Amino acid sequence: MKKRMAVNRKMRERRYLREARLAAGYSSRCEASMAIPYAPETLGRHERGETAIGPEDAVLYAECYDRPDILYRYCSECPVGQRIGMKTTDRDLPWAALRINQRLRKAKEVADTLEDIAEDGIVDETERPKFEAALAYLRELSCIITDILVWNYAQPRKHSASSGGRA
């Protein structure tokens, strides 16, 4: 019972679900429940973070609202995503672009270091600190890339016959 209470305390409002619903054109949960097979009350509990959503729920919301960013956000909240360090942060595109530009300047140096370490196929104890530093750099770069993906997928979409859908 204590474990369940700890999980409930961790629950937080999922504003992104509400924002995605509104962006998809569903001004009310009742309207959204016509596309998503959940009662309006369930949608509300999901949006407020009162009820956990599972992977199937995240996929359903992402598909019905045409918002792949929901999947990234879900993965950053799930136990597996948290364990591997998956993070999503709502950042403005200019900030994320500047940040990735700064990090990519160092990419060649990190790639060269990894190549040197990997040459013999072993990470020995003398190489371990440089290897760990390279992994930390790659995790940070991954988070910044995820921020840009989340920003992109959260943007309103203009569908046209020639574009074939998502830009």
Side-chain angles (χ1 to χ4, degrees), residues 61-128:
Y61 280 118
E63 288 175 354
C64 289
Y65 294 159
D66 192 23
R67 291 284 298 266
D69 62 300
I70 290 171
L71 300 176
Y72 287 94
R73 295 172 194 279
Y74 169 78
C75 287
S76 71
E77 294 176 354
C78 85
V80 173
Q82 289 179 346
R83 182 79 174 215
I84 64 170
M86 175 74 175
K87 295 178 184 175
T88 57
T89 308
D90 286 306
R91 304 218 190 264
D92 291 330
L93 182 60
W95 184 94
L98 177 64
R99 188 73 177 128
I100 201 159
N101 189 30
Q102 293 168 343
R103 300 312 295 155
L104 287 177
R105 288 185 196 142
K106 187 177 177 183
K108 177 70 170 129
E109 177 187 326
V110 171
D112 290 343
T113 299
L114 287 171
E115 188 176 355
D116 289 344
I117 292 169
E119 190 173 326
D120 62 0
I122 299 169
V123 180
D124 65 38
E125 290 310 308
T126 62
E127 298 168 323
R128 179 62 53 188

Side-chain angles (χ1 to χ4, degrees), residues 27-42:
S27 60
S28 72
R29 292 182 189 113
C30 286
E31 287 178 27
S33 70
M34 299 297 184
I36 297 177
Y38 299 139
E41 296 79 15
T42 301

Side-chain angles (χ1 to χ4, degrees), residues 150-162:
V150 167
W151 180 89
N152 176 61
Y153 291 138
Q155 299 306 300
R157 297 283 167 231
K158 294 180 184 175
H159 296 283
S160 67
S162 63

